Amino acid sequence: MPDTTDHADDLLGGRYRLGETLGRGGMADVYRGEDVVLGREVAIKVVRSGADGVAADSRARGEVSVLAALNHPSLVTLYDAQLDADPPYLVMELVEGPTLTTRIARSPLTPSAAATMAAELGEALHVAHGAGVVHRDVKPSNVLLAPSPLPDHEFRAKLADFGIAYLVDTARVTNPGEVIGTAAYLAPEQVQGVDPAPPADVYALGLVLIESLTGKRAFPDAAGVATALARLEAPPEIPAELDPEWRDLLRDMTRIDPAERPTALDVAMRARALAATTSDARTESLPAAGAVAAGSAGAAMAA
């Protein structure tokens, strides 16, 4: 059993040793850490104090409620949470891999890799939606790519940062009508300030898949909410070079009317079928995990 008595005062909560900073966000900093009791590496999200301390603490409590209730291989696992500590902190699974943003910057995903990722993230969202949770900020920087042990799979996609998730049956942290999320990936109804619902996550995932396949954002000029209003009138352009099944799926996921979009489970099933029937001429592997990759993952969890 690891020795937890030496320098115990230097340990967070008497158990966690902080290492390098992996990422910084508006409400927290994320560190590589060590659980000296279990002898494993973890990611530790330390909530920052300050003028927004109350709001940050409320958001952190919401994230704990979400992550503690959800269990899926494509959701980042919560190990521990001490929100009454000074400072409050969360202890999570350390994902040793880059974000999807970093991966796309290297090259677009192959159709089969994108289909597998779509199925994994669709399943994760299905689990969340079934628990009454809407993520509200599905985007490439919130998708972490853990190296896969399987030779025919490039990675296992994991959805991170439920810090701004909306708990359907609980009090809202944000004000009614307040737009939360990243402008480039907002669904039309989010732009209008409508209460978040599962179709908004499906729409955002559709935009993420378009970007993954093409290397370009579906709405590249969406620098703010005002610009994002344009999507109320027209859906994103679906690349003509994609196979018909891909075009149909992406078109359905990004329909303007949320009632016309498939559920996350439908997306997962259709993507699984695409993955089974799609073959790629090339196979690429992720770069070796390290400080840069882990740092990208940590930045996603710091938001």
Side-chain angles (χ1 to χ4, degrees):
M1 176 180 244
D3 182 7
T4 62
T5 59
D6 189 25
H7 305 296
D9 291 342
D10 297 332
L11 300 177
L12 190 65
R15 175 170 180 171
Y16 303 105
R17 180 174 292 114
L18 294 181
E20 65 180 310
T21 302
L22 299 180
R24 297 184 183 277
M27 67 169 280
D29 299 324
V30 176
Y31 300 87
R32 179 186 291 272
E34 178 190 2
D35 180 346
V36 300
V37 173
L38 296 180
R40 66 180 174 187
E41 286 193 302
V42 294
I44 303 175
K45 183 172 185 175
V46 180
V47 179
R48 227 184 265 123
S49 60
D52 62 344
V54 175
D57 183 65
S58 296
R59 287 175 60 184
R61 290 179 186 279
E63 185 167 1
V64 169
S65 298
V66 173
L67 294 178
L70 302 180
N71 182 26
H72 189 273
S74 286
L75 293 172
V76 173
T77 303
L78 175 69
Y79 294 144
D80 191 9
Q82 298 296 330
L83 298 183
D84 293 325
D86 185 18
Y89 62 91
L90 312 176
V91 181
M92 293 171 287
E93 169 188 6
L94 178 65
V95 179
E96 291 279 21
T99 66
L100 181 58
T101 298
T102 301
R103 174 59 181 82
I104 294 173
R106 195 184 81 199
S107 67
L109 297 186
T110 62
S112 65
T116 300
M117 180 182 73
E120 291 170 348
L121 297 178
E123 288 178 14
L125 286 174
H126 169 63
V127 170
H129 295 166
V133 176
V134 181
H135 188 284
R136 293 205 294 173
D137 201 21
V138 177
K139 57 185 178 182
S141 62
N142 277 340
V143 178
L144 311 182
L145 305 180
S148 172
L150 302 177
D152 59 340
H153 285 73
E154 184 179 344
F155 52 75
R156 155 68 73 172
K158 290 178 174 282
L159 187 59
D161 195 5
F162 278 85
I164 62 172
Y166 177 76
L167 303 181
V168 176
D169 295 323
T170 63
R172 299 182 61 174
V173 174
T174 55
N175 295 322
E178 183 177 347
V179 177
I180 294 294
T182 303
Y185 305 95
L186 289 177
E189 63 271 23
Q190 284 178 289
V191 176
Q192 295 176 310
V194 175
D195 284 352
D201 285 345
V202 171
Y203 182 96
L205 180 56
L207 298 188
V208 168
L209 292 175
I210 293 173
E211 185 172 344
S212 299
L213 288 162
T214 65
K216 300 177 181 178
R217 282 185 176 181
F219 293 103
D221 298 325
V225 174
T227 308
L229 290 172
R231 74 195 64 185
L232 296 175
E233 300 178 359
E237 181 179 351
I238 308 299
E241 63 271 20
L242 293 176
D243 290 340
E245 293 82 2
W246 259 118
R247 293 201 301 270
D248 289 344
L249 176 59
L250 295 174
R251 188 177 298 113
D252 289 346
M253 293 177 70
T254 57
R255 293 191 182 278
I256 295 176
D257 184 352
E260 296 180 355
R261 296 175 205 148
T263 65
L265 179 59
D266 291 334
V267 170
M269 295 178 67
R270 291 171 66 176
R272 284 287 179 209
L274 273 172
T277 58
T278 301
S279 62
D280 295 324
R282 59 188 175 89
T283 301
E284 298 179 356
S285 59
L286 289 174
V292 174
S296 299
M301 292 190 290

